[in-house]
Every structure is written in structure tokens, then in C-alpha cells.
């Protein structure tokens, strides 16, 4: 599983990092960024929770 953040949509609410800190971080401006190329299987559930929690649907699984 891979995840991407649409930078044009993200407004930096930070839910992604809260739900899956192993997969997402916030950059120096407070916008979400993806830390890993491939989400390790043990973190997929957290990554999906983050995807569903993002209020702007800025996160996509690819
Ligand atoms: S939860 Fe969504 S809007 Fe908030 S920082 Fe993460 S990707 Fe951006």
C-alpha cells in the first residue's frame, strides 16, 4: 500500500500524523507529508484510519 497527499487540498489540520505517526508527518509549514514509500503492513490500519479521518479527503491510497 502506498499513500499520497494532495498538497493542493491539504490545509494542515494534522489528523494524518495523529492517526499514523509512522506514516505521516507535518512539514515545516504544518502541512501533511508522507514519510514512507510503501506503508509497512503493520501500519496499514493506522494509515487507513488517517485517510478516513482527513477532513478534506486529501489522502489517497494508491
Ligand atoms: S489530515 Fe489531511 S488536511 Fe490534515 S494535514 Fe493530514 S492530509 Fe492535510
Amino acid at each position: 500500500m502506498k499513500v499520497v497527499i494532495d498538497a493542493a487540498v491539504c490545509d494542515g489540520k494534522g489528523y494524518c500524523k495523529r492517526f499514523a505517526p509512522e506514516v505521516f508527518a507535518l512539514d515545516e509549514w504544518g502541512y501533511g507529508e508522507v514519510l514512507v514509500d510503501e506503508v509497512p503492513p503493520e501500519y496499514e490500519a493506522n494509515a487507513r484510519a488517517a485517510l478516513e479521518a482527513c477532513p478534506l479527503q486529501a489522502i489517497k491510497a494508491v
Side-chain angles (χ1 to χ4, degrees):
M1 174 189 183
K2 291 177 188 275
V3 288
V4 294
I5 292 176
D6 184 340
V9 175
C10 171
D11 77 347
K13 295 206 187 309
Y15 290 88
C16 49
K17 181 183 175 189
R18 215 173 304 157
F19 278 81
E22 311 85 358
V23 177
F24 300 99
L26 299 181
D27 69 15
E28 59 188 296
W29 297 282
Y31 293 101
E33 62 183 4
V34 180
L35 296 172
V36 294
D37 262 355
E38 189 81 32
V39 178
E42 63 269 35
Y43 298 138
E44 281 192 9
N46 287 359
R48 287 189 195 284
L51 187 152
E52 285 166 19
C54 175
L56 298 170
Q57 286 95 47
I59 306 169
K60 303 282 181 239
V62 293

